Amino acid sequence: MLTWQAIVSLATFISVIFLLITEWIHFVVAAFLGALLLIITNVITMPEAIGYIGKSHGTLGLFFGVMVMVRAFEPTKVFEYLATQMVILAKGRGDRLLLGIVAITTPICAVLPNATTVMLLAPLIPPMAQEIGVDFVPLLILMVFVANSSGLLTIVGDPATYIVGDAINMSFVDYLMKLSLGGAIAVGVIVAILPFLFRKIWNKKLENLERLPHPKINHPRTLIIGAIITAFVLTFFVIGETLPVPVSPATVALLGAALALMLAHHSKMDTVPHILRDVDWSTLIFFMCIFVLIGSLEKTGVIASMSGVLAIVLGKNIALGSISLIFFVGLISSVVPNIPLVVAMVPLLKQYVVNVGLASPEVLATDFAGQFPSVVLPLFYAMMYGATLGGNGTLVGASSNIVAAGVAEQHGKRISFKVFLRYGIPVMILQLIAATIYVTLRFLIV
């Protein structure tokens, strides 16, 4: 039975989601008030709230660092220049532009976290859309779909896949052999429905490319140094944690931000106060509040109760469990960010397979380095697919979605919950069905 703290925590979370859907108040205010209500009612204490934010310091540090870098290089006009070149390469055709966004985003998200990729590429979208004469919001939403889906191509492409893969001691190569094809299928689903989901843009044709503005690069020498800094950051995103002294992506991003600020200041390209003022603080604050809300659900046992019910219903039926998990986790992940959801559910799923006698208790040890029984692995694979693809369902389903919403707001438009839902629900449902078919054929039919 749920305690009063659990009821308050769940009611607060549902209320925040409701306010996000109805847009009665700004999404940051809704999340902020929800987090404060939990503290005022003593469901969690202020130190606990700060602790939940602190546990996610890696995510916040990564986002802040990349935001500063992107803003620091804005005066060079590099984003406008690259956007124009993409439109020219697409020959002014909307269908080629949409396919180009897929082609650029997919390989980058295979090796970089999807939210980071969206931060780096999203500034290209508004000027590109302006030049071709279409609304940039659908293009940003498409980039988010592709970023979230292509995160399944490798074990490091999405934090959720890494967390689950690490929990079952899965290697990079093993992931490529077993699960990458599912990620490719998810991206293929998006490509297949592009002409229907983005029909207006797909059919758009720019007749006279000569009329396109041709922005010039400002501060070219400074930009060359900036490119070196960016290359350094991207390289250490990939190899930093494999070094003898591991360097986290957040540390790399913050170092890149510091170097970018120093470059902007000494080149007199911009001032440090101006750059910091334009950082998307609303997105960072929203994430902090969401971490507090999810932390309260964990503390009060709400997530544990949901997983406990799942264990009772499924019993030892791995096939039913795997298929159910794809949709169960997918639907929850559409309203609960997938990182805290996966962190909460991995130990619960481990406990479940032990309780029903499918794995020995030694797998529960934090230092367990052996192999899980192959019979239970489809459950963890299903969680990977459900958590990642479910994030495409709603605006709050994945961190990259919120990042895109912040970029849109900085360019004068809002991605409303309803607009995202109109695109997200069909994509999520089709991708979850495709993932179910893949898991069934690949792992459940012997």
Side-chain angles (χ1 to χ4, degrees):
M1 184 174 178
L2 294 178
T3 62
W4 71 265
Q5 292 96 335
I7 293 171
V8 171
S9 180
L10 182 59
T12 301
F13 182 79
I14 293 173
S15 298
V16 169
I17 297 298
F18 176 76
L19 290 173
L20 293 176
I21 295 172
T22 58
E23 299 180 335
W24 286 352
I25 58 177
H26 193 277
F27 70 97
V28 176
V29 178
F32 201 7
L33 288 175
L36 287 173
L37 180 62
L38 294 173
I39 296 172
I40 293 170
T41 55
N42 206 35
V43 172
I44 58 174
T45 64
M46 179 64 79
E48 285 175 329
I50 299 298
Y52 293 132
I53 295 172
K55 287 180 182 178
S56 304
H57 65 276
T59 302
L60 296 171
L62 177 66
F63 288 174
F64 175 75
V66 175
M67 284 176 181
V68 170
M69 288 181 61
V70 170
R71 171 58 185 82
F73 298 134
E74 270 186 12
T76 65
K77 300 288 186 183
V78 63
F79 301 114
E80 290 86 344
Y81 177 81
L82 292 174
T84 301
Q85 298 308 308
M86 285 187 65
V87 173
I88 292 173
L89 286 174
K91 296 184 178 179
R93 291 177 51 175
D95 54 351
R96 292 186 180 182
L97 191 62
L98 292 171
L99 292 171
I101 291 173
V102 175
I104 290 173
T105 307
T106 299
I108 297 176
C109 277
V111 294
L112 292 181
N114 44 25
T116 306
T117 303
V118 171
M119 281 187 194
L120 292 171
L121 297 182
L124 298 175
I125 299 296
M128 189 189 311
Q130 184 179 4
E131 290 172 3
I132 204 171
V134 295
D135 183 9
F136 69 75
V137 167
L139 296 179
L140 276 177
I141 292 175
L142 170 62
M143 177 176 284
V144 164
F145 290 159
V146 177
N148 292 338
S149 305
S150 55
L152 284 166
L153 291 173
T154 68
I155 197 170
V156 297
D158 187 281
T161 59
Y162 180 80
I163 291 168
V164 180
D166 184 58
I168 58 176
N169 302 317
M170 192 175 204
S171 69
F172 190 93
V173 175
D174 200 24
Y175 184 96
L176 289 178
M177 298 295 292
K178 293 181 178 179
L179 300 175
S180 289
L181 180 57
I185 292 172
V187 175
V189 169
I190 296 174
V191 173
I193 63 177
L194 281 178
F196 311 101
L197 198 62
F198 302 97
R199 182 176 299 157
K200 185 176 179 181
I201 300 176
W202 183 269
N203 295 322
K204 182 74 175 180
K205 291 183 180 179
L206 194 62
E207 300 297 337
N208 192 352
L209 292 178
E210 298 300 322
R211 294 184 180 179
L212 279 177
H214 293 281
K216 294 181 179 180
I217 296 290
N218 296 331
H219 312 283
R221 293 181 181 178
T222 303
L223 184 59
I224 291 173
I225 301 174
I228 295 172
I229 294 173
T230 303
F232 161 81
V233 169
L234 294 178
T235 300
F236 279 86
F237 274 163
V238 177
I239 69 170
E241 292 185 299
T242 64
L243 298 175
V245 179
V247 182
S248 70
T251 303
V252 174
L254 291 172
L255 178 57
L259 294 174
L261 287 173
M262 183 175 69
L263 179 63
H265 174 72
H266 284 285
S267 67
K268 303 190 184 306
M269 182 172 63
D270 207 339
T271 65
V272 172
H274 280 172
I275 294 172
L276 295 178
R277 182 193 63 195
D278 292 339
V279 167
D280 188 5
W281 294 106
S282 61
T283 297
L284 293 174
I285 293 171
F286 178 79
F287 275 122
M288 293 179 194
C289 297
I290 287 294
F291 292 142
V292 173
L293 290 167
I294 299 300
S296 73
L297 293 178
E298 291 179 30
K299 178 190 174 182
T300 56
V302 173
I303 294 178
S305 298
M306 294 172 67
S307 299
V309 170
L310 185 67
I312 294 172
V313 171
L314 298 179
K316 290 187 176 182
N317 194 327
I318 295 297
L320 175 62
S322 299
I323 294 171
S324 300
L325 266 178
I326 290 177
F327 287 95
F328 175 75
V329 175
L331 291 174
I332 295 179
S333 183
S334 67
V335 292
V336 177
N338 57 12
I339 298 174
L341 176 65
V342 165
V343 168
M345 286 201 66
V346 162
L348 296 169
L349 191 56
K350 285 184 177 181
Q351 187 68 59
Y352 158 66
V353 297
V354 170
N355 289 346
V356 296
L358 295 173
S360 63
E362 64 181 354
V363 303
L364 300 176
T366 54
D367 58 350
F368 177 69
Q371 294 297 313
F372 276 65
S374 59
V375 67
V376 305
L377 290 177
L379 293 169
F380 293 91
Y381 301 158
M383 186 192 296
M384 286 184 184
Y385 286 124
T388 302
L389 299 177
N392 283 333
T394 73
L395 185 61
V396 297
S399 53
S400 54
N401 306 9
I402 303 301
V403 169
V407 171
E409 205 162 74
Q410 286 185 320
H411 287 83
K413 286 194 176 183
R414 287 186 62 196
I415 300 179
S416 70
F417 197 97
K418 294 176 183 176
V419 167
F420 195 100
L421 203 66
R422 188 169 73 242
Y423 291 99
I425 290 299
V427 170
M428 180 187 75
I429 291 174
L430 289 173
Q431 287 185 321
L432 290 178
I433 292 173
T436 301
I437 295 172
Y438 176 72
V439 169
T440 302
L441 295 177
R442 178 71 173 81
F443 304 109
L444 299 179
I445 296 180
V446 180

